Amino acid sequence: MKNSPLPPHKLVTCIPEKREPGMMVFNVRPGGASEHIYKDAWILGIDQAGAFALNLHFAEQTQDVRLLPNKNLLFSFTAAGQIRETKQNGELVRQWHISGKWKDKEAPDDSIPIDLPLTHHTINYFPNGNLLLMSVEQREYPDWPSSDEDPNADTEIARVMGDVILEVAPDGTIVNQWKLLDILDPYRICYGSRAKYWVERGFPDSVDWCHSNAVVYDPSDDTLMISLRTQDCIIKIHKESGELKWILGDPGNWKAPWSSKLLEPTGDLDWQYHQHDCSITSTGNVLCFDNGNFRALPFAAKTPPERSYSRAVEFDVDDDAMSVRQVWSHDGREQNQHSYACYQGGACRLPKTGNTFITYGGICTIDGVPTNNNMEGFVRSRLVEVTPDNEIVFDLWITAEDEPGRALLSSFRAEHIPDI
């Protein structure tokens, strides 16, 4: 880790007096096809005036970053199997390593082992200081759908990857776990549920049934809220029992008994698809980044990428009535500045201004045309702050579009760091 030149970027808009005080911290890492070639990555922080106030450079791909109650940073290197807590200047406080990623090499000194094969996507924490992590398991199911395009296709035996949510004590002890294959319908598919994401990560012939990418603890009702990208839904489960509380998403293709947990829409509402970064706002609403892939379920026609758009969206959930109402969204189309990020992304509600910080994590194009194929397209990210009435007060692109070699760069999500 060292201070280093910044990744290529372009600041389009910054109106400091309308922005949230403090610093927004986010990762930058190789995106698309380059993620298996280049290792350089950053944890960056940009202040209210638009200046880079934090610049940490690493030789491994950074992933999620969180602000801990003690004001330290918690961030991960999922490919390398590491989690670190550091001071805001990057000074190491403690670190953990995922045992399954360190079988053939010596772990760093004073690193705390966590006995898991891997972790992926997000990291988070509980109020008691325990870590909130994700891992994965594989199960074999007969008579599984062999196609998401043809409803009459034969079924098959499938190696289904299901995510496991974990509570891990600071000493590395696994305190609790929740297996999504035991909670949801293992036979329900959406577009993307047959993707080869886990094949590329060492699980041959597997399918990417749910692809969870965010989890947050809600102390108001002792629940966990989880984003399932390739199930096109956000769910809540009771922490103590693991029982499903509700499902927020397109109601198509859900069977009993899971269909009884669907939230009923009220008013004008557009469902989210392939979402990331669900969170609870200060008013108790659900906020997420709606990537918008396909905007349909099997076996309806997909929205093509050139007509797709991503957005931040806020929902008001009435637990008693089991209903949901859309109360706010931003997709930029009115300003003709909308971006379609086919993967990664985040939405963060800011405490003083009520602004929302949006990370269009992986914007992918081929010859300038949006694509869903992040492994063949040009990749860049865009970070935007908008007011409650959707004025853009900050607009930063992480992009090498004007540089030789055109590096492929993405960002997972951003975290707000208040002024200290």
Side-chain angles (χ1 to χ4, degrees), residues 47 64 90 100 108 111 157 209:
D47 65 19
D64 202 4
S111 182
I157 298 172
W209 167 70

Side-chain angles (χ1 to χ4, degrees), residues 31-36 200 343 364 372-377 379 408:
S34 68
E35 69 178 61
H36 302 298
E200 298 167 357
Y343 79 122
C364 303
N372 288 322
N373 191 337
N374 67 321
M375 300 308 291
E376 294 185 6
V379 183
L408 311 179

Side-chain angles (χ1 to χ4, degrees), residues 142-155:
D143 303 319
W144 213 76
S146 67
S147 173
D148 59 11
E149 302 284 349
D150 179 6
N152 299 313
D154 292 337
T155 59

Side-chain angles (χ1 to χ4, degrees), residues 22-38:
M23 178 171 63
M24 296 305 302
V25 176
F26 55 95
N27 75 315
V28 173
R29 51 171 283 182
S34 68
E35 69 178 61
H36 302 298
I37 301 172
Y38 303 108

Side-chain angles (χ1 to χ4, degrees), residues 75-86:
F75 53 89
S76 61
F77 307 82
T78 55
Q82 283 187 289
I83 301 169
R84 293 183 191 173
E85 179 184 348
T86 73

Side-chain angles (χ1 to χ4, degrees), residues 161-172:
M161 304 302 293
D163 292 314
V164 181
I165 312 302
L166 298 131
E167 179 179 4
V168 179
D171 66 0

